[in-house]
Amino acid sequence: MRLGIVFVPLFVLVAACGGGPPPPSDPDTLLLRAKTYVGMPSPKPALLPEFSLYGGGRLLVPGESEGALQVAREKHLDDEAAGSVYDAAYDADLDRDEYVPNDVIDGYLLVFTLYGGHQVRASTPESESGGRLEELADFREDLAEVAKGATPAAGTYRPTRLAAIAWASSQHPESSDVRPWPFAPFTGSRHVDGGLCVVVEGEAVREAEKLARSATAGTRWRTAETTWLVVFRPLLPDEKSCADLVVPPQG
């Protein structure tokens, strides 16, 4: 069974009856997010959320990485479409805190965040899961169709903060691309996805983006005593620190 949103050509959205209170129009206020956290055996650290809808129909989705830099693409939904998505989230019962378990080993966690702070967390939901897990998997697929049909905005998202998540590498890496790390040290910083996270802000953001684009996933960054593998990830408008990137606790 599909939930809430029906995607058709010309981008007409139909939401089920009901819905929540009127959403705020602030383009930096998060209305609805879908984000997957992938663990072992195939970790994908510090991934951008696959769907982040903000006030005024502002939509941010992952784009193609540029070097070692993750990129967010900015798109737009008109008022009717954005309102339908928002109402559909309420019709899908995302306006509560919920954990839906699954006995799958080495799965993943899908988290929906709705305006007001509610989070629905589902363990490895798939289209054939049955019950609530299947409903949530279907809703995620509906959001993916919405994102495909959204209008691209001019240019890419330009963050005001950039997170760098690092994992200690060999003292003598095989890669010949070893560069000095020019920003805040990783030692003693926040843990994210098994790595250490620091945030680059202000004028240094553009410098960090340039360095990340010129690097690869295999580039090492050297500090006084350690070399690091680093993922560069823009912080979205509602994300202020490394703490916003960690897996949300159960309950």
Side-chain angles (χ1 to χ4, degrees):
M1 178 184 70
R2 309 300 296 196
L3 281 180
I5 309 169
V6 178
F7 181 80
V8 297
L10 302 182
F11 206 68
V12 176
L13 288 167
V14 179
C17 61
S25 59
D26 179 5
D28 290 340
T29 298
L30 182 69
L31 303 186
L32 175 65
R33 167 168 291 150
K35 183 176 182 179
T36 298
Y37 297 85
V38 182
M40 299 302 291
S42 301
K44 297 179 180 179
L47 284 177
L48 284 163
E50 51 259 48
F51 189 96
S52 296
L53 177 64
Y54 294 85
R58 185 186 194 185
L59 178 63
L60 295 178
V61 297
E64 292 293 329
S65 296
E66 298 175 2
L69 177 67
Q70 293 189 45
V71 174
R73 295 173 58 202
E74 188 152 359
K75 307 185 87 172
H76 181 74
L77 301 180
D78 63 29
D79 290 344
E80 181 182 1
S84 294
V85 172
Y86 182 69
D87 288 345
Y90 279 85
D91 295 331
D93 294 326
L94 301 185
D95 57 331
R96 58 181 176 176
D97 294 324
E98 179 185 14
Y99 174 64
V100 187
N102 195 335
D103 58 4
V104 173
I105 299 174
D106 294 331
Y108 64 92
L109 182 69
L110 174 63
V111 179
F112 293 101
T113 302
L114 185 63
Y115 174 70
H118 296 292
Q119 283 193 335
V120 172
R121 305 162 70 254
S123 175
T124 319
E126 302 292 349
S127 295
E128 304 301 323
S129 300
R132 182 64 166 155
L133 286 171
E134 182 171 339
E135 291 177 350
L136 295 173
D138 288 346
F139 191 80
R140 176 180 57 183
E141 292 180 8
D142 289 339
L143 293 182
E145 291 300 311
V146 169
K148 288 179 183 178
T151 303
T156 59
Y157 171 64
R158 300 296 299 277
T160 58
R161 299 178 180 87
L162 193 73
I165 300 93
W167 295 264
S169 181
S170 167
Q171 288 286 346
H172 304 286
E174 295 180 2
S175 172
S176 59
D177 187 7
V178 181
R179 310 180 186 187
W181 179 249
F183 304 112
F186 294 107
T187 304
S189 60
R190 179 70 185 245
H191 283 265
V192 173
D193 291 338
L196 295 172
C197 176
V198 297
V199 172
V200 179
E201 301 183 74
E203 296 180 359
V205 170
R206 304 285 85 87
E207 179 187 354
E209 287 180 320
K210 182 178 179 180
L211 287 175
R213 287 189 177 99
S214 70
T216 70
T219 298
R220 265 65 169 182
W221 302 87
R222 184 179 63 251
T223 59
E225 299 179 352
T226 310
T227 58
W228 307 85
L229 286 167
V230 180
V231 169
F232 296 82
R233 195 271 215 196
L235 294 185
L236 302 187
D238 61 302
E239 297 172 334
K240 308 304 180 185
S241 70
C242 294
D244 294 317
L245 307 185
V246 301
V247 178
Q250 183 173 338

